Amino acid sequence: MDPTELFFLGVDSRLSFKSSDVETASVDFGMLGKAKPRAVLHPASADDVARLVKAAYESANGFPVSARGHGHSINGQAQAVNGVVIQMSDSEGTRFGSGKPFLPQVKEKEKYVDVWGGELWIQVLKSTLEHGLAPKSWTDYLYLSVGGTLSNAGISGQAFHHGPQISNVHELEVVTGKGELLICSEEKNSELFHAVLGGLGQFGIITRARIALEAAPQKVRWIRVLYSDFSTFTRDQEYLISLHAQPGSQKFDYVEGFVIVNDGPTNTWRSSFFSPRNPVKINSLGAPAADGGVLYCLEITKNYDGSTASDIIDKEVNSLLKKLDFIPGSAFTTDLPYEEFLDRVHKAELRLRSKGVWDVPHPWLNLFVPKSRIADFDKGVFKGILGNQANGPILIYPMNKNKWDRRSSVVIPDEEVFYLVALLRSALNTGEEIDTLEYLENQNRQILRFCDEAGIIVKQYLPHHTRQQEWVDHFGDKWGQFYQRKMEFDPRHILATGQLIFEPSFTSSTMPL
């Protein structure tokens, strides 16, 4: 592509060739590779996005286009080599001067909010709380864009009950790979609607999303309990998510868990919970020796309003806790505002930034593991490959398949219950081999190889594959539908080329197939 072509797109006043913009768009949170675009678009409207994509679609030479939110991808999924990156979050020169073409618009009676695709979830939360409302389903980290999480799934501890974020969307406004600006929903352009949700950016760029809301609680009772036996830990987790259809008084509102392997500097960022209100060290509990040197922590919450009598909350929580088989004396509890709980990871981020261990490579590995093989995964990975030398937090919690819509593009295990296992690693300059990027990437490959050899059919969440055959295997029986949707909505393979799923039709062979 001749760069001068970009000046004739009608959006040149918001098209940046500045080295600082190009450099920012060349990297992401993963910091595992750099890929420079030719330019960065700061859109002031959905029409700007559509105009750019249409120009790419109609151009004889063509060029790739990728939407970038907060840049939190791991493997360059939002990069566009020699193309244009659309900076959907924190753009310059927009109407409000704050990186968004329009502010969140809350409809209290209908209980939904319309938001710009580049809006961050933290701002969605703040805007909806002003009306006593909030989205139903979240991610653990709120400084992610709406369009970014909806292009993947969006999961956290509420997913067992409400499903992922993509199960809580009423309507989307999308720019397809042909430059068409379309509104889609269950009733209108439904094929595009389901394609885009979890579609990894392959079928369109989300410029507006209509998100379902519910009455927001004011407070959260946040509880953590410990286990030394993995089967007991998973049995209790699976019991708690089986209560999803029960009245609110008879279930928890959030169910997650994590593995405690060691106390490295990046492993304890989720453990601020225990301090200062609970300044007791885990190893001071006098707990039984952990199975294989590993402990497991169940993390649960009960939402309530400030007007709710404390004895009512105590009664509901205690009734549920009595049915669990955690280590006696290992229950830690704290109460805090709802917003503070949802934004808990950001505080940890600020601490890690202050120590210089946030802006480092992050070779994360996120897997969906079927319930029937989670014990084998524990034995082979947590107690085997990782041993007591884990780097970074390890999340593990189950979800209900019936809360996911198969019509979306997301691929999950074919079992009624499956687990997310998230190894959130950071490559640090500590001088220790286990903290190096090479070691961690090799360990990720070792984990995937173990699953393959053991016949554990895992699916990557936030997937990364480098060959099309690997993508075919990833999508399985969904590949035919995924391919047909690509041919319909992005026939020139313009969008999200950083995913390495399809080779752009306007280039020579630059990506492995």
Side-chain angles (χ1 to χ4, degrees):
M1 180 187 64
D2 184 343
T4 59
E5 287 184 40
L6 295 173
F7 286 109
F8 300 99
L9 301 181
V11 292
D12 54 286
S13 63
R14 302 179 190 94
L15 200 62
S16 172
F17 293 87
K18 292 194 303 184
S19 59
S20 58
D21 280 346
V22 170
E23 184 66 23
T24 297
S26 299
V27 295
D28 58 19
F29 177 71
M31 295 182 68
L32 302 179
K34 180 178 290 189
K36 287 191 175 183
R38 290 295 183 97
V40 176
L41 177 71
H42 298 281
S45 67
D47 288 335
D48 281 349
V49 178
R51 194 175 297 118
L52 174 71
V53 177
K54 187 174 183 180
Y57 176 66
E58 294 180 347
S59 170
N61 294 324
F63 54 91
V65 176
S66 287
R68 183 181 192 272
H70 201 48
H72 220 263
S73 55
I74 301 299
N75 293 284
Q77 288 93 334
Q79 294 172 349
V81 179
N82 291 326
V84 178
V85 169
I86 302 176
Q87 184 60 57
M88 298 292 288
S89 304
D90 306 316
S91 294
E92 299 174 351
T94 53
R95 189 184 317 165
F96 295 98
S98 57
K100 60 196 74 172
F102 63 89
L103 298 174
Q105 300 168 2
V106 177
K107 297 293 183 180
E108 292 186 31
K109 183 178 179 181
E110 296 84 356
K111 288 191 176 180
Y112 70 73
V113 58
D114 282 328
V115 296
W116 170 246
E119 190 69 83
L120 301 185
W121 283 103
I122 182 64
Q123 294 304 326
V124 177
L125 174 63
K126 292 179 181 296
S127 297
T128 56
L129 284 179
E130 293 177 0
H131 301 268
L133 300 169
K136 300 175 181 180
S137 190
W138 293 98
T139 58
D140 286 344
Y141 182 58
L142 301 187
Y143 288 75
L144 304 173
S145 70
V146 170
T149 66
L150 295 184
S151 294
N152 287 280
I155 54 176
S156 186
Q158 306 86 6
F160 81 95
H161 174 46
H162 292 296
Q165 290 181 316
I166 58 173
S167 294
N168 296 276
V169 180
H170 293 319
E171 181 181 281
L172 297 173
E173 180 186 76
V174 172
V175 174
T176 72
K178 300 176 184 178
E180 303 168 305
L181 182 60
L182 301 175
I183 293 175
C184 56
S185 65
E186 286 271 10
E187 296 77 27
K188 184 176 184 180
N189 295 317
S190 61
E191 188 71 17
L192 177 62
F193 181 70
H194 295 299
V196 169
L197 293 173
L200 306 178
Q202 293 300 300
F203 313 108
I205 296 171
I206 298 171
T207 53
R208 178 179 61 81
R210 179 166 292 176
I211 309 297
L213 303 177
E214 65 178 357
Q218 296 173 344
K219 303 279 287 185
V220 170
R221 174 74 54 86
W222 188 9
I223 305 155
R224 286 180 173 176
V225 295
L226 299 177
Y227 296 77
S228 59
D229 179 72
F230 185 72
S231 62
T232 305
F233 169 67
T234 54
R235 183 174 65 246
D236 280 0
Q237 281 193 315
E238 290 163 17
Y239 165 71
L240 291 178
I241 72 166
S242 75
L243 304 176
H244 63 89
Q246 298 298 316
S249 61
Q250 298 176 31
K251 65 186 174 189
F252 285 114
D253 296 290
Y254 164 102
V255 177
E256 280 200 17
F258 55 95
V259 183
I260 301 173
V261 177
N262 60 359
D263 285 332
T266 60
N267 298 331
T268 56
W269 62 266
R270 292 178 64 90
S271 299
S272 58
F273 171 93
F274 296 109
S275 175
R277 298 179 185 176
N278 291 307
V280 181
K281 294 282 188 181
I282 292 173
N283 58 15
S284 70
L285 291 171
D291 184 6
V294 178
L295 281 171
Y296 309 93
C297 181
L298 172 63
E299 185 174 43
I300 44 186
T301 71
K302 169 68 73 172
N303 300 337
Y304 65 98
D305 294 322
S307 59
T308 306
S310 60
D311 60 330
I312 294 177
I313 296 300
D314 292 343
K315 183 178 179 180
E316 292 178 359
V317 169
N318 290 335
S319 176
L320 286 164
L321 289 179
K322 285 179 181 177
K323 298 174 183 178
L324 306 181
D325 193 18
F326 52 88
I327 298 172
S330 71
F332 295 86
T333 302
T334 190
D335 291 78
L336 70 170
Y338 182 62
E339 181 179 356
E340 187 176 334
F341 169 73
L342 291 179
D343 198 30
R344 63 200 178 281
V345 175
H346 182 56
K347 290 187 176 181
E349 173 192 349
L350 296 178
R351 288 197 300 274
L352 292 181
R353 283 188 183 278
S354 69
K355 297 177 181 179
V357 291
W358 183 262
D359 293 320
V360 297
H362 296 97
W364 287 9
L365 181 64
N366 296 272
L367 302 173
F368 288 145
V369 183
K371 168 189 169 181
S372 64
R373 302 303 304 275
I374 194 66
D376 297 322
F377 188 94
D378 169 65
K379 184 177 180 180
V381 177
F382 300 150
K383 299 186 181 77
I385 295 172
L386 299 182
N388 62 354
Q389 298 293 326
N391 171 294
I394 305 170
L395 309 186
I396 173 172
Y397 58 92
M399 287 172 280
N400 293 306
K401 179 184 175 183
N402 62 7
K403 299 296 182 178
W404 295 65
D405 192 331
R406 180 166 172 76
R407 294 172 296 177
S408 77
S409 293
V410 175
V411 180
I412 58 177
D414 190 22
E415 290 191 9
E416 291 307 310
V417 171
F418 61 92
Y419 280 78
L420 169 75
V421 176
L423 295 98
L424 310 181
R425 295 115 101 58
S426 302
L428 305 176
N429 186 22
T430 64
E432 297 289 335
E433 182 188 12
I434 64 168
D435 289 329
T436 65
L437 179 59
E438 180 181 10
Y439 182 91
L440 295 174
E441 289 186 320
N442 284 337
Q443 197 171 67
N444 284 346
R445 287 189 287 269
Q446 188 179 359
I447 291 169
L448 292 172
R449 186 166 58 250
F450 162 76
C451 291
D452 183 55
E453 293 174 352
I456 304 175
I457 303 176
V458 299
K459 296 295 182 182
Q460 288 191 33
Y461 177 59
L462 311 177
H464 173 63
H465 300 289
T466 57
R467 295 186 302 114
Q468 193 176 73
Q469 184 56 51
E470 292 175 335
W471 283 108
V472 173
D473 295 339
H474 170 80
F475 284 104
D477 61 6
K478 273 193 171 185
W479 173 253
Q481 179 189 59
F482 194 88
Y483 181 85
Q484 289 301 319
R485 285 172 168 176
K486 185 69 171 179
M487 296 307 102
E488 179 177 357
F489 300 119
D490 183 23
R492 293 195 70 187
H493 307 170
I494 289 165
L495 301 176
T497 55
Q499 294 279 6
L500 304 181
I501 304 176
F502 297 97
E503 181 184 0
S505 61
F506 44 80
T507 67
S508 58
S509 182
T510 57
M511 292 188 291
L513 291 177

